[in-house]
Amino acid sequence: MTYQNDAAAGAGAPPAGRLLGAADIRRIADEAGVSPTKKFGQNFVIDPGTVRRIVREAGVRAGDHVMEVGPGLGSLTLAILETGARVTAVEIDPPLARRLPDTVAEFMPQAADRLHVVVRDALDVTPDNLTDFAGDERFSLVANLPYNVATPILLTLLERFDALDTFLVMVQKEVADRLAATPGSKIYGTPSVKLAWYGEAQRVGTIGRNVFWPAPNVDSALVLFRRYREPRFEARDRRDVFALIDAAFGQRRKTLHAALRRMVPDAAFAAAGIDPGRRGETLTVGEFAALARAAKEVRA
């Protein structure tokens, strides 16, 4: 089920209107019979300055097409629409999805025809069931993501939507650190390497707890990602490479030789120029790709 009013918008001046404050958020939630739930990791942003900062860091401009995952009560949605961009909002919670068009109509009526709300789990969207982006050469993702599903959502969308060019997400600080980590650091792991398969991520700011309702028990941070203009690796190799990454980090304390003994022949390490005594956290995604190719060639 979708709630749609998707007439194409031009790249004119941003619409008149205002963003949501704390009193607005609580009123809308009360009218919609909505309470933030731990099930969906809901913490609603109540500070207009924060959502404008997110949109600014994301580089959203008039005429852009933006996917927002988990729009909630619409704080960030309005800030994106304020730029003159179009928004496709993917919301898993039906009551929130039903309410969002009404909120936009109330606070930014001129932008209502640039909003399309889809009721679906972001992990289930595909180019076939979310055709909004079919004609886009590229689009961006801007979202406040629950910490427990942030990494799966990002990797799933990057895999399925080749046109997803950039994203700016607000996530738990520890998740942001892992997404942007580099080889050799203690927090470098599976999310860091897999994200690097597609492009480059960096932390671009921190967000305090007081801008949310309810206030979470952790700090948040912003992660900016840009996909490589030209793919650096063969798409057909991704499954094999990701399997090696999972195995290597599934046993972090073990050497590559020990962790990958059932997947990588001894000769493949020499062929790839990789010391089997190293551990997974020291390898770049390029080295994992080289090792996967060498393993396949040795077995051939």
Side-chain angles (χ1 to χ4, degrees):
M1 183 178 184
T2 63
Y3 301 87
Q4 180 174 9
N5 195 350
D6 57 352
R18 68 180 181 86
L19 304 186
L20 303 180
D24 299 314
I25 289 288
R26 290 183 172 87
R27 173 181 65 81
I28 292 170
D30 183 63
E31 291 175 356
V34 170
S35 296
T37 67
K38 289 185 178 180
K39 176 183 177 182
F40 296 139
Q42 292 168 335
N43 297 94
F44 303 127
V45 182
I46 58 175
D47 175 50
T50 296
V51 290
R52 281 199 174 109
R53 176 187 174 189
I54 292 171
V55 172
R56 184 173 64 250
E57 293 284 4
V60 178
R61 297 173 297 180
D64 287 351
H65 192 181
V66 176
M67 178 188 292
E68 183 185 6
V69 171
L73 294 173
S75 299
L76 182 55
T77 312
L78 287 168
I80 300 170
L81 291 170
E82 186 179 51
T83 68
R86 291 185 294 133
V87 176
T88 295
V90 180
E91 175 57 61
I92 192 174
D93 192 351
L96 290 176
R98 286 193 294 269
R99 174 67 196 197
L100 186 57
D102 294 337
T103 299
V104 172
E106 176 184 353
F107 287 85
M108 202 171 289
Q110 295 94 324
D113 63 354
R114 289 186 279 110
L115 172 69
H116 176 199
V117 184
V118 177
V119 187
R120 192 178 290 274
D121 186 336
L123 291 171
D124 294 335
V125 299
T126 68
D128 291 330
N129 62 35
L130 184 60
T131 59
D132 292 42
F133 303 97
D136 292 351
E137 180 179 345
R138 62 186 57 157
F139 69 93
S140 60
L141 168 73
V142 181
N144 170 24
L145 294 178
Y147 75 91
N148 57 330
V149 294
T151 298
I153 286 174
L154 294 174
L155 292 174
T156 296
L157 293 177
L158 285 169
E159 176 188 347
R160 294 176 181 172
F161 292 87
D162 292 337
L164 176 52
D165 185 55
T166 65
F167 68 66
L168 190 291
V169 294
M170 179 163 58
V171 293
Q172 180 180 335
K173 180 179 177 295
E174 287 76 9
V175 174
D177 290 339
R178 288 197 293 271
L179 291 173
T182 54
S185 66
K186 292 181 179 180
I187 56 174
Y188 182 70
T190 302
S192 323
V193 195
K194 290 183 177 180
L195 198 57
W197 172 271
Y198 299 101
E200 297 179 345
Q202 60 178 314
R203 265 193 48 184
V204 292
T206 56
I207 304 293
R209 307 176 189 191
N210 61 333
V211 303
F212 295 96
W213 173 68
N217 296 321
V218 295
D219 292 323
S220 299
L222 303 178
V223 176
L224 176 64
F225 170 88
R226 292 186 177 89
R227 189 188 285 264
Y228 300 130
R229 288 301 182 194
E230 296 294 334
R232 297 191 178 184
F233 311 104
E234 295 290 339
R236 64 175 179 268
D237 295 336
R238 184 188 58 81
R239 186 183 299 274
D240 292 337
V241 176
F242 280 20
L244 287 189
I245 293 169
D246 289 336
F249 285 99
Q251 305 177 76
R252 289 184 70 107
R253 294 180 180 275
K254 291 189 176 183
T255 64
L256 291 170
H257 185 267
L260 304 179
R261 66 184 184 277
R262 297 181 179 178
M263 304 174 69
V264 179
D266 289 349
F269 288 102
I274 294 173
D275 180 356
R278 292 171 63 182
R279 288 178 168 79
E281 61 262 31
T282 69
L283 268 66
T284 66
V285 67
E287 288 178 309
F288 274 111
L291 190 57
R293 286 194 301 272
K296 183 179 295 186
E297 291 168 359
V298 167
R299 288 198 186 94

